[in-house]
Amino acid sequence: MNGEADRYPFGSSAYWRLQLTLVGADAANQAFHEYGLSLSENEAHTAAHAFARALYDAEGAVAISYCNEEFAQGCAHEVMAQTISEFGLASIAELQKNCANAFKGGSYFCDHGVGHGLVDYYGYEPPDMLEALAYCDAHRAEDKLNGCYTGVFMEYFLQNVRYSSAVPKPINADQPYDRCVEDKGTARWACFYTLPLWWHQIDKHTGEQSEEKILAGMYARCAAINADIDRVACFHGMGHMVAPMAEYELDGVLTLCRQISIPIPDHLLCISD
């Protein structure tokens, strides 16, 4: 892919907008699929947001039909968020229907995308989160934990839709758990569950640490949480991060959890998610 495309950063939304113009949605989607396979899971997810922003600009809400479950559904998250941003909350019912057709039964993927869109719609400040979570409570009852709630917190912490790239919210040293201590019930669990993903992105942005050191930092932050149920939620979220870090290889998961020398009960939580 040379010529005019060289003027744009490879993999950026601008790059994919040009490709969509030059070769069309089908060919550009295939090219992105091949590109995504060359990245780590987390990198591919972020790249999928950038691609889907360009895809939405070219195709509109029907862009969801090009999305699938690969790359942690980054394409669907972005398309759904852009649709909600453009057409408002009234668009969600139709969007859910189109998403369900694309994902064939994986409704929580669709609810997760709605969660991303709600934060982009209502805003990224802590008071805005209350409105987003209230919408999850009222409308997305099927699987709020894995679906709408985690979509809300992922977007709040990582800001993927806001910037078409992972630009994590800065961490406040005086509040390493941010707003999670203010939430209740399932939303509180989902918030603590999402923290390790946020910490991982912050540490990755420094570019100075190995995955093992990043994981050890996650563990230290989780272990310092006072309430047992919040700490367990954090450890489960850490376990969720271990799998893509180990490229979904069981031996790699066991090795990473073992390398940070954590006590047996915590070790089991590390490998359980």
Side-chain angles (χ1 to χ4, degrees), residues 87-106:
F87 297 106
L89 302 180
S91 67
I92 291 178
E94 184 66 22
L95 191 57
Q96 284 285 109
K97 186 185 303 182
N98 294 337
C99 180
N101 288 336
F103 283 92
K104 305 300 180 186

Side-chain angles (χ1 to χ4, degrees), residues 202-204 206-214 217:
I202 289 173
D203 291 341
K204 285 288 283 187
T206 69
E208 298 173 354
Q209 301 185 66
S210 67
E211 292 284 36
E212 291 80 5
K213 287 184 177 179
I214 290 174

Side-chain angles (χ1 to χ4, degrees), residues 69 80 96 99-100 103-114 140 142-143 146-148:
E69 297 180 19
M80 296 185 78
Q96 284 285 109
C99 180
F103 283 92
K104 305 300 180 186
S107 62
Y108 81 89
F109 296 147
C110 304
D111 283 351
H112 186 92
V114 168
R140 311 260 54 89
E142 186 169 330
D143 187 355
N146 291 312
C148 193

